[in-house]
């Protein structure tokens, strides 16, 4: 088994420029999947919280660091995840132009930026084995969906549109304000099957997906039939119809072949 090359689609809030988008997604896709870190497929989707300062930069750092130095998703030790997060927090602190922050914005900036994070790795445990194993980490409300034999097999970490709210768990760039551990961090793992469809969706799209599914629809059909050139127009149509929140919207798709 192997992966189809992933597809990444992202669009900002309606009315915003692409450089104002606070979502970020990264993918590392090796030619051959193996058992070690260098031969694992790695996916990350981070969504910066608008109410915090420099959250776009924080989301970019989290997504980048997940795929470049993926944390241990096998261990349930929250201390390991805190240690993994520390260099990312230091990177954020270094990029802030502290000397140019106005006095009225300093307290907000020093409180730290906030973002959700959804990360996924896919690899083999044995080089000789065809079986692919996946591990996922979620903080917040971006969702991992797995479709198997044309049915929704996995929805992680949320599985109902009613679970979306205004206060998702968030990772903070200021370690003293990072109260998300351990309750806000969720881990999951499993094995892939031939033909599985894997999707990572930021919260607005994930909410639309689960609403459609609860109504008896198969929303993955709609997403898989979209051409990349149709993506932004389709998202804006859903926003105008009131079926999707006007928020930065990201989708990553791959399949097991």
């Amino acid at each position: 088994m192997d992966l189809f090359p992933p597809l990444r689609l992202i669009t900002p809030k309606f009315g915003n420029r692409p450089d104002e988008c606070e979502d970020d997604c990264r993918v590392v896709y090796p030619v051959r999947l193996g058992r070690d870190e260098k031969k694992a497929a790695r996916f990350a989707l981070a969504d910066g919280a608008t109410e915090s300062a420099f959250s776009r930069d924080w989301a970019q750092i989290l997504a980048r660091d997940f795929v470049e130095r993926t944390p241990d998703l096998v261990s349930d030790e929250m201390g390991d995840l805190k240690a993994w997060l520390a260099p990312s927090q230091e990177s954020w602190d270094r990029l802030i132009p502290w000397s140019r922050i106005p006095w009225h914005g300093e307290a907000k900036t020093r409180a730290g930026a906030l973002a959700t994070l959804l990360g996924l790795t896919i690899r083999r445990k044995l080089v000789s084995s065809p079986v692919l194993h996946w591990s996922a980490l979620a903080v917040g409300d971006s969702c991992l969906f797995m479709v198997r034999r044309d049915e929704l097999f996995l929805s992680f970490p949320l599985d109902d549109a009613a679970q979306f709210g205004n206060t998702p768990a968030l990772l903070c760039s200021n370690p003293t304000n990072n109260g998300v551990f351990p309750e806000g961090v969720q881990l999951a793992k499993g094995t892939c099957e031939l033909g599985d469809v894997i999707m990572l969706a930021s919260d607005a799209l994930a909410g639309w997906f689960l609403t459609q599914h609860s109504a008896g629809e198969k929303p993955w059909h709609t997403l898989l039939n979209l051409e990349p050139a149709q993506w932004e127009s389709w998202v804006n149509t859903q926003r105008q119809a009131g079926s999707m929140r006007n928020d930065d919207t990201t989708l990553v798709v791959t399949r097991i072949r």
Side-chain angles (χ1 to χ4, degrees), residues 8 24-28 42-45 60-61 63-64 67:
R8 289 177 288 175
D24 193 66
C25 63
R26 307 290 173 102
V27 174
V28 170
R42 304 186 291 279
F43 307 79
L45 197 170
Q60 291 173 344
I61 289 169
R64 179 202 69 195
V67 299

Side-chain angles (χ1 to χ4, degrees), residues 47 49 51 115-116 139-142 158 163-171 180 184 203:
D47 180 0
E51 66 270 17
T116 67
V139 178
D141 50 10
S142 292
L158 307 180
Q163 295 172 314
F164 289 87
N166 296 321
T167 55
L170 297 164
L171 289 170
V180 73
D203 58 331

Side-chain angles (χ1 to χ4, degrees), residues 128-232:
S128 60
S129 172
V131 178
L132 297 181
H133 295 256
W134 62 268
S135 300
L137 172 150
V139 178
D141 50 10
S142 292
C143 287
L144 169 65
F145 300 121
M146 290 190 178
V147 178
R148 181 169 293 173
R149 294 186 285 276
D150 203 32
E151 296 294 340
L152 184 59
F153 172 74
L154 173 77
S155 180
F156 170 80
L158 307 180
D159 58 11
D160 190 316
Q163 295 172 314
F164 289 87
N166 296 321
T167 55
L170 297 164
L171 289 170
C172 186
S173 62
N174 182 340
T176 63
N177 290 337
N178 224 347
V180 73
F181 297 97
E183 295 84 359
V185 181
Q186 299 190 58
L187 303 175
K189 58 187 176 182
T191 57
C192 301
E193 289 189 6
L194 193 66
D196 283 356
V197 177
I198 298 170
M199 298 180 170
L200 286 77
S202 57
D203 58 331
L205 181 61
W208 170 87
F209 186 105
L210 289 172
T211 298
Q212 293 289 306
H213 184 253
S214 67
E217 303 295 330
K218 295 188 174 184
W220 52 91
H221 289 177
T222 299
L223 297 176
L224 293 174
N225 287 327
L226 276 177
E227 295 293 335
Q230 300 172 311
W231 164 249
E232 186 171 358

Side-chain angles (χ1 to χ4, degrees), residues 57-175:
D57 302 282
W58 180 228
Q60 291 173 344
I61 289 169
L62 285 173
R64 179 202 69 195
D65 286 359
F66 185 92
V67 299
E68 290 186 357
R69 52 177 191 86
T70 306
D72 179 8
L73 300 187
V74 177
S75 170
D76 289 332
E77 294 295 327
M78 292 299 114
D80 294 345
L81 291 175
K82 287 183 181 180
W84 172 83
L85 192 62
S88 302
Q89 293 166 327
E90 293 167 4
S91 294
W92 181 86
D93 188 79
R94 285 194 300 270
L95 67 78
I96 301 303
W98 292 108
S99 62
R100 301 198 300 274
I101 300 293
W103 66 268
H104 54 81
E106 184 173 352
K108 182 177 180 179
T109 304
R110 292 199 180 280
L114 300 168
T116 67
L117 176 63
L118 175 65
L120 171 70
T121 66
I122 302 176
R123 69 178 71 180
R124 303 182 198 282
K125 286 190 176 179
L126 299 173
V127 174
S128 60
S129 172
V131 178
L132 297 181
H133 295 256
W134 62 268
S135 300
L137 172 150
V139 178
D141 50 10
S142 292
C143 287
L144 169 65
F145 300 121
M146 290 190 178
V147 178
R148 181 169 293 173
R149 294 186 285 276
D150 203 32
E151 296 294 340
L152 184 59
F153 172 74
L154 173 77
S155 180
F156 170 80
L158 307 180
D159 58 11
D160 190 316
Q163 295 172 314
F164 289 87
N166 296 321
T167 55
L170 297 164
L171 289 170
C172 186
S173 62
N174 182 340

